[in-house]
Amino acid sequence: MRFIPHTEDEVQAMLEAIGASSVDDLFRCIPEKLHLERELDLPLGAGEQTVLSELSALAKRNTDASGHDWFLGAGTYPHFSPAVIDTVASRSEFLTAYTPYQPEMSQGTLQTIFEWQTMTAGLTGMEVSNASMYDGASATAEAALMALRITRRNKVVVAAGLHPHYRDVLATYLSGLGCELVEGERAGDGRSAPVDGLIDGDTACVIVQQPNFFGCLEDVVGWAETAHAAGALLVASVAEALSLALLTPPGEQGADVVCGEAQSFGLPMGFGGPHLGFLAARQSHVRQMPGRLAGETVDGEGRRGFVLTLSTREQHIRRERATSNICTNQGLCLLMATVYLALHGRHGLRALAEANLAKAEYAKARVRETPGLSLPFSAPTFNEFVVGLPGPAAEALGRALDAGAVGGLDLSAYAPDLGDALLVCTTERASRQAIDRLVAALAGGAR
Amino acid sequence: MSSAPGSVESLGHATRGLAWEEPLLFERGRPGRKGVDLDPLDVPEVDPKQLLGEAAVREEIPELPELSEVDVIRHFTRLSTWNYAVDLGLYPLGSCTMKYNPRLNEKVARLPGFAEIHPLQPPEQSQGILELMVRLEEALAEISGLDRVSLQPAAGAQGELAGIMMIRAYHEQRGDPRKKVLIPDSAHGTNPASAALNDFECVPIPSGADGVLHPESVAEVMGPDVAGLMLTNPNTLGLFEEHIVRICEIVHEQGGLVYGDGANLNALMGRSRPGDMGIDVMHFNLHKTFSTPHGGGGPGAGPVGVKNILAPYLPIPVARRDGDRFALDYEFPHSIGRLHGSFGNVGMLVRAWAYVRSLGRDGLRQCSDMAVLNANYLLARLRERWHVPYDRPVMHECVLSDKLLEDCKVTTLDVAKRLIDYGYHPPTIYFPLVVHGALMIEPTESESLEGLDRFAEALLSIEREAREDPDVVRSAPHRTPRSRLDETRAARKPILRWQPS
């Protein structure tokens, strides 16, 4: 077996040193009746050539974005990823290291985390960011748990525009603690309707997604005022992190916690994971934050260095009184996003966000002028929007696929009241011609 | 560095090398530099402020740098050289299973048919990945002796959360809600933290003088208000819980369930199965046992497996076979719900499946065999000069302590820092909590005999140094670009970000 170096002679020599007669002998500490007396019911191992060919065959049975125009987003976005990102993420020293428990031999990872924390704080308009969460959904759930701890209240109110999967994960996390979860309604323009009637003195936080699941921009300032008036926190959840390069950050609009998903920063769609949850907050709440934090310090000679810090919040120290059960998690994804942000930089990221906005505006204009298609919502959008269709969404998606495009998300399962509708996303990868082809296919005029 | 303190050169150990002082990203670069050339816009430009309103559009972000592609790749390449990694050498972090990460797995995970697919595509466009997921579920069930597996949890801690939630849901569904969870004192910190996220009261159980859990101690605290027991087997001392069958019976007799922490599954593959021991639910750490890279701290993957009695509670959706097709199953009436925005860390599942296929039934067993051989061999090499708090045959890891170094006033932390000078990542230290000054060593099956010998010689040499020249150990590391970092200062006045001037 190519991953195992032991020769037969070495095994014998090692057994002798141990004082064991055989490898079986080493398993004597397992009671006899627990020994598996048969081989595992799995195939025999295989060489690289066979494994590669088997997995390539499986990969070919998926419809992928390398050969299709792509308009499906809804929380997982088809952005372009520069080659440098995978090059850096493939460095053995990053790829095959673990949690930086020993800072003297982990400065590479620690400094990267510190840089990520800095850029995330800047993007969200917050004071501090942690070193990542599993994904946008669990980051949102952890933000709610954080609000429950800070306010010592028991109820969470969510705006209608929160991604339905985020809401589901939130419900799962809250169910363990017996907390109440209530949800508002959608307004006619695609935004979330106000939830004033749902908020009371036991409300720990209000959660609003920006842009919301339907792509519409919410009035975060108004939501913050509503939450704060009741003594609750405002949690702003961001599923499309690129929007933070263009829109006024929730942190400057009164949000107390800004969390979400940073897959857009150079991570592959990868059937939904691994992605990169983030969570940023005010300095005053830092001791209630979940997850790892890297901090600056000095070594014995006074030179700057970085360490994991404030770990008395965490499970390995505080056990059942920890702020979360989370350990380190999306480390390599954090590295990739940090490289992505470093490459794009201050002006590149903004230009990219503006290009996304321009593509969506172009697509919306084409939809607006195409008979049979409509834009049911009037609220402004970033790079994703809802399209009303002349017939069932599944059929429209079939026509789009025939024209070489994965055309968007069929909303029939998510918002049946909208009738035949699609959620369509246009990133920088959507060319003008591809948008034209999609619009024609959705209208039924393709082929 | 001069050769006086810490002259440790010998073939295979660390030696001097070039390292570069690397500033923060924000201290590099020049205004106007850029690291990407975006394609020219092929649609009409828009004015964001006009379109969205002045207030909706932000100002410049001073926390983003201005760098060329060359700046960026040098920055991160230089930073990488300040890291230690499995690809550089032995990384014996106990209970972390830092085994070799096969590169084929990286290659297959990057195939467009896995990397560039979307979780909300209809199943007919995702047959290949769904088949892979089903095959992995089936393999994990077979390896563990459990009936069903959900691949959704993104990490071991989330798998644990899923498991304990299922236990809670099971009791509630039966109209018998319970309040307490039993946790041995040698358990990982995530165990009580996950239980607390379910509002369970954690009841600690002491390990016996022989390092394992005894049925009497469990019986003493087991009662009708106890939802279950959380157990790691082999435990964090590397010892097989030899009374596990009786312990599971005691818990089951009073209606409780047994949670198995799968952190240490690398000791058991093809040899013994948790499901056969009486475990009802456990998580797998694909980044440990199944070789997906640790990535500087994730992404991992923490699938959770259950016996049939808990299957109705699995997180949804679960991938399943439907004749010769593959589908996503949401039909779990008592499901605890969703834990992940999509289906978990699927890219890690692809790597883990490539690993299972590469090793097969023969190779998986060989992994566990050699992992156990390696740990016992290290113990045999070290036990004469090092204190072994529970000196008995171990499985995949062994635990030493600094007890014999007390006279020289050298601690486990000093030993760990000195190991760095020899070119090794230190073991897990000060854990498990039941051993004072613990050094928890898990060599994994990846290490060759000569590699183990070199590591043993390093520890023996440090033990000599502690007696003859304790200062060199106490002031280690000497060879790293930074000496010991002031963690107290970092926590007292936290600086968690760079500030634009």
Side-chain angles (χ1 to χ4, degrees), chain B residues 358-393:
Chain B
S358 296
L359 287 162
R361 60 174 183 258
D362 44 337
L364 289 172
R365 176 166 156 148
Q366 202 189 349
C367 276
S368 290
D369 284 2
M370 294 303 106
V372 171
L373 179 71
N374 279 0
N376 279 286
Y377 178 75
L378 268 186
L379 189 59
R381 291 273 339 244
L382 295 169
R383 72 155 55 87
E384 267 183 42
R385 305 298 306 172
W386 281 86
H387 177 241
V388 183
Y390 298 92
D391 196 2
R392 44 187 297 190

Side-chain angles (χ1 to χ4, degrees), chain A residues 1-3 5-6 14 24 27 31 34 36 38-46 54-55 58-59 61-65 70 72-73 76 84 86 90-98 102 104-109 111 114-115 117-119 122-123 126-127 134-135 165 169 172-173 175-177 244 246-248 268-274 294-301 303-304 307 309 315 319-320 325 327 329 331-332 343 345-347 350 359 361 429 431-432, chain B residues 22-25 27 35 42 51 55-58 60-66 69 75-77 79-80 82-87 91 96 98 101-103 110 112-118 121 125-126 128-129 131 142 155 157-158 165 168 187 189-190 194 196-198 240 242 267 271-273 293-299 336 338 340-341 343 345-347 357-362 366 369 374 417 445-447 481-486 490-491 495-498:
Chain A
M1 207 304 122
R2 60 193 178 277
F3 314 140
H6 303 67
M14 292 167 78
D24 285 347
F27 290 85
L34 293 181
L36 186 64
R38 60 169 176 86
E39 293 197 310
L40 289 172
D41 183 15
L42 293 171
L44 285 169
E54 280 183 20
L55 272 95
L58 285 173
R61 287 169 51 208
N62 302 318
T63 302
D64 70 66
W70 208 270
L72 175 56
T76 299
V84 168
D86 200 41
S90 300
R91 289 280 307 187
S92 287
E93 299 90 335
F94 286 126
L95 182 72
T96 73
Y98 201 19
Q102 297 291 339
E104 297 84 1
M105 66 193 331
S106 313
Q107 283 299 301
T109 295
Q111 183 169 328
F114 188 80
E115 291 170 344
Q117 289 174 185
T118 300
M119 292 196 283
L123 281 162
M126 300 303 285
E127 287 161 349
Y134 304 130
D135 68 345
H165 293 174
V169 171
T172 305
Y173 272 75
S175 71
L177 299 169
L244 291 167
L246 180 70
L247 304 178
T248 301
M269 296 191 290
F271 210 51
E296 182 183 320
T297 187
V298 293
D299 74 352
E301 281 75 54
R303 296 172 295 194
R304 177 171 73 186
V307 295
T309 193
Q315 47 77 27
R319 301 175 78 85
E320 67 268 27
N325 74 336
C327 310
N329 44 90
L332 201 71
L343 276 175
R346 202 172 297 173
H347 305 293
R350 176 59 172 254
K359 300 270 187 182
E361 290 305 314
R429 282 171 73 175
S431 70
R432 179 182 193 138
Chain B
E22 180 59 20
L24 290 166
L25 279 172
E27 298 160 342
D42 60 357
L51 199 63
V57 178
R58 75 177 299 162
E60 216 168 51
I61 305 171
E63 289 88 351
L64 295 182
E66 295 180 76
E69 181 172 328
H75 175 78
F76 288 102
T77 304
L79 283 187
S80 77
W82 286 41
N83 263 7
Y84 186 76
V86 171
D87 285 357
Y91 205 130
C96 296
M98 301 297 290
N101 310 132
R103 285 315 190 276
R110 285 165 173 77
F114 293 133
E116 296 201 51
I117 56 176
H118 194 289
Q121 284 174 259
Q125 294 179 15
S126 322
I129 187 65
E131 176 169 351
E142 166 65 6
Q158 208 187 30
M165 276 187 167
R168 181 179 51 80
T190 50
S194 299
L197 279 171
N198 279 278
F240 191 88
E242 59 197 47
R271 285 285 179 176
S272 189
R273 306 194 306 168
H294 281 72
I336 58 165
R338 238 183 208 286
H340 190 273
F343 314 117
N345 285 344
V346 178
R357 274 302 291 122
S358 296
L359 287 162
R361 60 174 183 258
D362 44 337
Q366 202 189 349
D369 284 2
N374 279 0
K417 298 301 183 194
E445 71 279 7
S446 307
E447 249 17 82
R482 292 290 179 271
S483 62
R484 263 188 233 196
L485 288 150
D486 188 346
I495 304 172
L496 304 174
R497 52 171 294 183
W498 169 83

Side-chain angles (χ1 to χ4, degrees), chain B residues 205-385:
Chain B
I205 317 176
S207 318
D210 52 359
V212 297
L213 205 55
H214 287 265
E216 313 81 81
S217 327
V218 177
E220 205 168 294
V221 283
M222 185 62 211
D225 58 343
V226 173
L229 164 72
M230 296 183 88
L231 187 88
T232 309
N233 194 22
N235 67 23
T236 58
L237 293 164
L239 305 176
F240 191 88
E241 292 287 358
E242 59 197 47
H243 310 295
I244 187 161
V245 172
R246 181 63 202 131
I247 288 168
C248 291
E249 282 169 4
I250 291 169
V251 175
H252 289 151
E253 279 161 11
Q254 302 230 39
L257 296 175
V258 182
Y259 184 88
D261 181 325
N264 294 343
L265 184 63
N266 206 44
L268 299 177
M269 289 188 291
R271 285 285 179 176
S272 189
R273 306 194 306 168
D276 299 337
M277 301 170 195
I279 302 278
D280 300 295
V281 45
M282 72 174 273
H283 75 264
F284 304 81
N285 296 95
L286 298 188
H287 48 289
K288 298 179 182 176
T289 321
F290 297 94
S291 88
T292 73
H294 281 72
V304 62
V306 294
K307 290 274 178 65
N308 278 328
I309 50 161
L310 284 176
Y313 305 92
L314 281 169
I316 46 171
V318 178
R320 70 170 162 86
R321 276 177 202 275
D322 194 1
D324 58 353
R325 308 292 293 167
F326 298 87
L328 288 163
D329 196 347
Y330 290 84
E331 298 305 312
F332 288 79
H334 304 304
S335 170
I336 58 165
R338 238 183 208 286
L339 277 166
H340 190 273
S342 298
F343 314 117
N345 285 344
V346 178
M348 299 298 119
L349 307 180
V350 173
R351 291 168 172 87
W353 174 247
Y355 186 70
V356 169
R357 274 302 291 122
S358 296
L359 287 162
R361 60 174 183 258
D362 44 337
L364 289 172
R365 176 166 156 148
Q366 202 189 349
C367 276
S368 290
D369 284 2
M370 294 303 106
V372 171
L373 179 71
N374 279 0
N376 279 286
Y377 178 75
L378 268 186
L379 189 59
R381 291 273 339 244
L382 295 169
R383 72 155 55 87
E384 267 183 42
R385 305 298 306 172

Side-chain angles (χ1 to χ4, degrees), chain A residues 347-424:
Chain A
H347 305 293
L349 202 70
R350 176 59 172 254
L352 188 67
E354 289 189 9
N356 274 248
L357 179 70
K359 300 270 187 182
E361 290 305 314
Y362 173 77
K364 282 163 75 176
R366 292 302 317 272
V367 166
R368 206 176 280 122
E369 71 195 26
T370 302
L373 300 182
S374 63
L375 296 171
F377 295 143
S378 59
T381 59
F382 172 54
N383 66 358
E384 198 162 21
F385 54 92
V386 174
V387 176
L389 300 166
E395 290 176 12
L397 287 174
R399 291 194 301 271
L401 195 61
D402 289 343
V406 169
L409 181 68
D410 178 349
L411 285 173
S412 57
Y414 298 91
D417 61 304
L418 287 175
D420 301 320
L422 275 188
L423 183 61
V424 171

Side-chain angles (χ1 to χ4, degrees), chain A residues 82-262:
Chain A
V84 168
I85 291 163
D86 200 41
T87 306
V88 171
S90 300
R91 289 280 307 187
S92 287
E93 299 90 335
F94 286 126
L95 182 72
T96 73
Y98 201 19
T99 303
Y101 293 120
Q102 297 291 339
E104 297 84 1
M105 66 193 331
S106 313
Q107 283 299 301
T109 295
L110 284 160
Q111 183 169 328
T112 305
I113 295 173
F114 188 80
E115 291 170 344
W116 164 255
Q117 289 174 185
T118 300
M119 292 196 283
T120 304
L123 281 162
T124 55
M126 300 303 285
E127 287 161 349
V128 290
S129 155
N130 76 4
S132 79
M133 310 298 292
Y134 304 130
D135 68 345
S138 67
T140 304
E142 289 270 12
L145 298 185
M146 188 176 156
L148 296 172
R149 289 191 297 273
I150 291 169
T151 60
R152 298 173 188 272
R153 296 177 175 187
N154 285 305
K155 182 173 162 183
V156 173
V157 176
V158 302
L162 183 65
H163 193 300
H165 293 174
Y166 287 26
R167 185 194 54 218
D168 291 349
V169 171
L170 175 65
T172 305
Y173 272 75
L174 291 178
S175 71
L177 299 169
C179 293
E180 193 187 351
L181 175 64
V182 293
E183 192 185 351
E185 292 182 354
R186 197 178 64 239
D189 65 355
R191 293 188 230 229
S192 304
V195 292
D196 304 62
L198 304 174
I199 301 179
D200 58 27
D202 198 33
T203 302
C205 66
V206 177
I207 304 179
V208 65
Q209 182 174 320
Q210 174 76 331
N212 74 20
F213 177 66
F214 301 100
C216 298
L217 304 193
E218 301 276 9
D219 169 23
V220 176
V221 174
W223 283 89
E225 283 166 4
T226 307
H228 294 160
L233 304 187
L234 182 72
V235 172
S237 180
V238 179
E240 168 49 295
L242 184 61
S243 67
L244 291 167
L246 180 70
L247 304 178
T248 301
E252 288 176 17
Q253 297 178 313
D256 301 282
V257 184
V258 184
C259 57
E261 173 59 63

Side-chain angles (χ1 to χ4, degrees), chain A residues 21-65:
Chain A
S21 57
S22 64
V23 172
D24 285 347
D25 208 17
L26 299 174
F27 290 85
R28 283 244 181 94
C29 51
I30 301 179
E32 206 162 314
K33 65 175 173 181
L34 293 181
H35 284 257
L36 186 64
E37 297 295 350
R38 60 169 176 86
E39 293 197 310
L40 289 172
D41 183 15
L42 293 171
L44 285 169
E48 269 205 37
Q49 191 177 330
T50 299
V51 177
L52 178 61
S53 106
E54 280 183 20
L55 272 95
S56 300
L58 285 173
K60 286 198 186 99
R61 287 169 51 208
N62 302 318
T63 302
D64 70 66

